[in-house]
Amino acid sequence: MITTGQIIRCKAAVAWEAGKPLVMEEVEVAPPQKHEVRIKILFTSLCHTDVYFWEVKGQTPLFPRIFGHEAGGIVESVGEGVTDLQPGDHVLPIFTGECGDCRHCHSEESNMCDLLRINTERGGMIHDGESRFSINGKPIHHFLGTSTFSEYTVVHSGQVAKINPDAPLDKVCIVSCGLSTGLEATLNVAKGKKGQSVEIFGLGAVGLAAAEGARIAGASRIIGVDLNSKRFDQAKEFGVTEFVNPRDHDKPVQQGIAEMTDGGVDRSVECTGSVQAMIQAFECVHDGWGVAVLVGVPSKDDAFKTHPMNLLNERTLKGTFFGNYKPKTDIPGVVEKYMNKELELEKFITHTVPFSEINKAFDHMLKEESIRCIITMGA
């Protein structure tokens, strides 16, 4: 391409301050360096994680910054040492990575890559610590190594999944974070069986994806737990059969679930990050065979507390990161599930906005109006 090796000037939505509307700016995007790829982003979506760090809830402020980590695009150019990607490839940038060389990447049981594991505080690239974004010579910080709220971005090649070029990027871009996390928490980690009961704590995007996983697995009952009863009707589209709002009951959730299910559910998936919900999710599974999976990220000072007998009575507690998916290896397979009509994505997409109106996507999420809002670049 004519832009290979050259600085590209393009539009990006820059967060200059915490909680303030993003500002559309012209940025300079440097060429990719060793083991890096420059991608033309065609579609991106807003995830709650973007909002969380934009609001600066409990973490170190890092501004100015370009957020965004769920997206689909086309490789524009590659840096030194990149052999598995080439210009023209259709790709999904991923917030975590797979270097292929560390113990975690060699393990069939882990996706916690030593080199490219998620790092929310890193504002530059791994190769040299420098940003590839700038405005009038002033560096603009990266976010999660992806920064997809820019028409062009630079990503480490280990965080780029090459996908089927026939897959519609405006749909499959959402599998690069929340959807895959929830879906595979049920399918790949909880490993629910056909006919079993599954409880989902939190009916946001990740929780609905977990419910979708339970539906695909053939669960006989899918019980949704959420403090917002307005989410219940929407959750029916994802296979949820029963609903519990803890505010409507005067007894602990786990006690009520045990009464509803003759001793407890077979599987539970917690998607809120609330320690109280985590404890409830664990204690509501049936003794002898129940499995609880924790997906939500708690606050740094939280502590999980339960009686040891809950473990000795053969309940299993698991945690998961990104549904135990290896980004480069496994994400292309999720896209193929969609292409083979085994997975529905359209029902997760509730809104679409042009890139010039990206702040509307934030409004929709803050008002709890959207599951996923697709942002069309170049519009």
Side-chain angles (χ1 to χ4, degrees):
M1 294 186 179
I2 195 170
T3 52
T4 299
Q6 305 295 315
I7 290 174
I8 290 178
R9 291 176 176 81
C10 69
K11 291 181 180 179
V14 178
W16 290 97
E17 298 179 64
K20 297 294 180 67
L22 307 189
V23 179
M24 202 63 63
E25 304 277 11
E26 181 179 81
V27 299
E28 294 184 342
V29 185
Q33 302 301 305
K34 188 176 182 180
H35 299 311
E36 296 174 0
V37 179
R38 189 161 60 184
I39 303 169
K40 181 179 182 180
I41 299 296
L42 298 181
F43 300 94
T44 186
S45 64
L46 179 65
C47 172
H48 186 265
T49 302
D50 296 306
V51 176
Y52 181 84
F53 282 91
W54 167 72
E55 291 180 317
V56 190
K57 290 189 173 180
Q59 72 279 157
T60 303
L62 194 61
F63 295 95
R65 202 170 201 182
I66 298 175
F67 287 100
H69 63 284
E70 288 188 354
I74 298 174
V75 173
E76 175 270 337
S77 60
V78 302
E80 176 189 346
V82 178
T83 59
D84 60 333
L85 296 165
Q86 60 185 5
D89 284 345
H90 286 220
V91 296
L92 303 181
I94 313 291
F95 68 94
T96 187
E98 183 180 352
C99 73
D101 296 323
C102 69
R103 292 175 301 166
H104 288 278
C105 288
H106 288 162
S107 169
E108 295 181 357
E109 300 179 6
S110 175
N111 65 347
M112 305 289 285
C113 176
D114 282 332
L115 178 66
L116 299 172
R117 186 180 306 186
I118 183 173
N119 184 330
T120 60
E121 296 186 358
R122 185 170 57 234
M125 299 299 291
I126 287 177
H127 174 62
D128 56 11
E130 301 294 325
S131 175
R132 303 291 176 258
F133 298 107
S134 63
I135 297 177
N136 298 324
K138 177 181 175 61
I140 307 297
H141 296 295
H142 292 249
F143 178 64
L144 301 182
T146 52
S147 293
T148 61
F149 293 167
S150 173
E151 292 176 327
Y152 285 85
T153 189
V154 177
V155 183
H156 191 286
S157 63
Q159 292 181 243
V160 180
K162 180 180 176 180
I163 64 168
N164 185 337
D166 294 327
L169 291 173
D170 62 331
K171 305 295 190 301
V172 300
C173 64
I174 68 173
V175 310
S176 59
C177 181
L179 185 136
S180 294
T181 296
L183 184 78
E184 290 307 308
T186 306
L187 293 174
N188 195 32
V189 185
K191 299 185 185 297
K193 300 175 182 178
K194 185 175 182 179
Q196 288 188 326
S197 58
V198 180
E199 181 113 16
I200 309 295
F201 284 77
L203 297 176
V206 176
L208 292 175
E212 180 76 357
R215 183 191 66 79
I216 292 171
S220 60
R221 299 175 70 179
I222 304 175
I223 305 170
V225 179
D226 201 288
L227 297 175
N228 183 356
S229 297
K230 293 180 180 179
R231 290 178 165 178
F232 292 168
D233 285 340
Q234 186 178 56
K236 293 176 182 177
E237 299 179 39
F238 299 84
V240 177
T241 57
E242 301 161 69
F243 307 97
V244 174
N245 186 332
R247 290 173 175 161
D248 295 339
H249 302 273
D250 57 4
K251 62 181 68 174
V253 171
Q254 50 270 57
Q255 181 182 338
I257 297 302
E259 294 172 358
M260 290 173 59
T261 58
D262 190 24
V265 292
D266 301 303
R267 301 288 187 269
S268 72
V269 183
E270 186 285 322
C271 304
T272 71
S274 161
V275 168
Q276 183 179 4
M278 293 178 181
I279 294 169
Q280 293 168 346
F282 175 53
E283 294 182 353
C284 81
V285 299
H286 206 290
D287 58 3
W289 62 80
V291 177
V293 177
L294 307 185
V295 178
V297 179
S299 298
K300 63 180 181 179
D301 295 326
D302 285 338
F304 183 97
K305 182 179 179 181
T306 191
H307 198 284
M309 285 304 300
N310 289 319
L311 290 162
L312 294 174
N313 286 336
E314 300 184 1
R315 294 179 178 88
T316 300
L317 178 64
K318 294 183 175 182
T320 181
F321 170 69
F322 196 40
N324 282 30
Y325 268 147
K326 293 181 183 291
K328 293 176 73 71
T329 300
D330 297 328
I331 288 299
V334 181
V335 172
E336 291 308 308
K337 284 184 179 181
Y338 170 74
M339 297 297 286
N340 294 334
K341 302 186 184 306
E342 300 169 28
L343 174 64
E344 298 178 41
L345 296 180
E346 286 81 1
K347 61 188 178 184
F348 288 89
I349 300 170
T350 54
H351 296 77
T352 301
V353 299
F355 187 37
S356 60
E357 299 178 9
I358 189 172
N359 288 304
K360 287 185 178 180
F362 282 74
D363 292 339
H364 289 314
M365 180 163 286
L366 290 170
K367 294 176 182 177
E368 297 188 350
E369 296 173 343
S370 65
I371 301 175
R372 277 296 180 266
C373 180
I374 300 299
I375 300 158
T376 303
M377 310 301 284

